[in-house]
Amino acid sequence: PHLTADLLETAVAMLAAAHDVTPDELFDMRELLEVRATTLAARCRTDTDLEALGRAIDEPGPVERLAHFERHRRFHDAVMVAAGSPLLQMMTAPIYRVIEARFARPLEAPDELDRVDDDHRRILGLIAGGSAEEAGEAMHAHLRWARRVYGAG
């Protein structure tokens, strides 16, 4: 699985470097994969999954751009795990890494950082409550907002 994920990441990175894949297209893929994964997570999650999601939100860390991005990525990774599909995890990981390496900008404004945390807490609450459709809708809204913040849409 790691080799396949590495190959996917290389392919996506090469396309992005050649400007054949835009940030907007990467966010399209995130929406396609993550919204569905979030609905699955609300149906399939375990207590261990909920603990991992909570840790990703509440984990203290340095106030640095990459630290925030990494913490936010860990939340999205935990959603993929909670969805119970290794294939989803394998497909989304390269997209995150390419966005981080090529397109991510600092979330410096406190209201932006608060918005991400609030969105993640809301999504976690809906997953924990088993509200699959609402959780998917919340993830969709979160990704649409992130698309605008990162200048991808």
Side-chain angles (χ1 to χ4, degrees):
H2 293 293
L3 178 59
T4 304
D6 290 344
L7 291 171
L8 281 171
E9 179 179 354
T10 300
V12 172
M14 289 174 66
L15 287 168
H19 304 288
D20 290 337
V21 173
T22 66
D24 207 40
E25 290 170 314
L26 291 169
F27 272 92
D28 285 344
M29 292 306 303
R30 286 191 66 186
E31 286 180 31
L32 285 168
L33 297 169
E34 291 188 60
V35 171
R36 177 67 178 146
T38 304
T39 63
L40 291 172
R43 293 182 183 129
C44 304
R45 93 298 185 270
T46 65
D47 289 342
T48 301
D49 295 328
L50 294 176
E51 290 168 11
L53 286 160
R55 277 193 310 275
I57 294 170
D58 296 327
E59 180 178 286
V63 181
E64 298 170 4
R65 176 181 83 90
L66 292 179
H68 285 294
F69 194 91
E70 178 64 27
R71 188 168 57 91
H72 299 155
R73 188 176 75 190
R74 274 196 298 275
F75 176 82
H76 289 266
D77 288 343
V79 170
M80 296 301 114
V81 171
S85 173
L87 184 58
L88 278 170
Q89 295 169 51
M90 184 174 47
M91 293 176 72
T92 55
I95 295 168
Y96 298 151
R97 287 192 291 268
V98 170
I99 289 173
E100 180 178 3
R102 304 238 342 124
F103 305 112
R105 68 153 185 85
L107 291 179
E108 296 172 349
D111 61 321
E112 289 178 340
L113 295 170
D114 290 344
R115 167 72 189 261
V116 172
D117 288 338
D118 290 346
D119 283 357
H120 287 177
R121 282 188 186 90
R122 181 167 192 275
I123 293 164
L124 170 56
L126 292 165
I127 289 172
S131 301
E133 296 309 314
E134 289 180 65
E137 290 169 9
M139 179 61 81
H140 186 249
H142 171 65
L143 292 172
R144 296 299 291 180
W145 174 82
R147 177 190 294 255
R148 287 189 305 274
V149 167
Y150 286 110

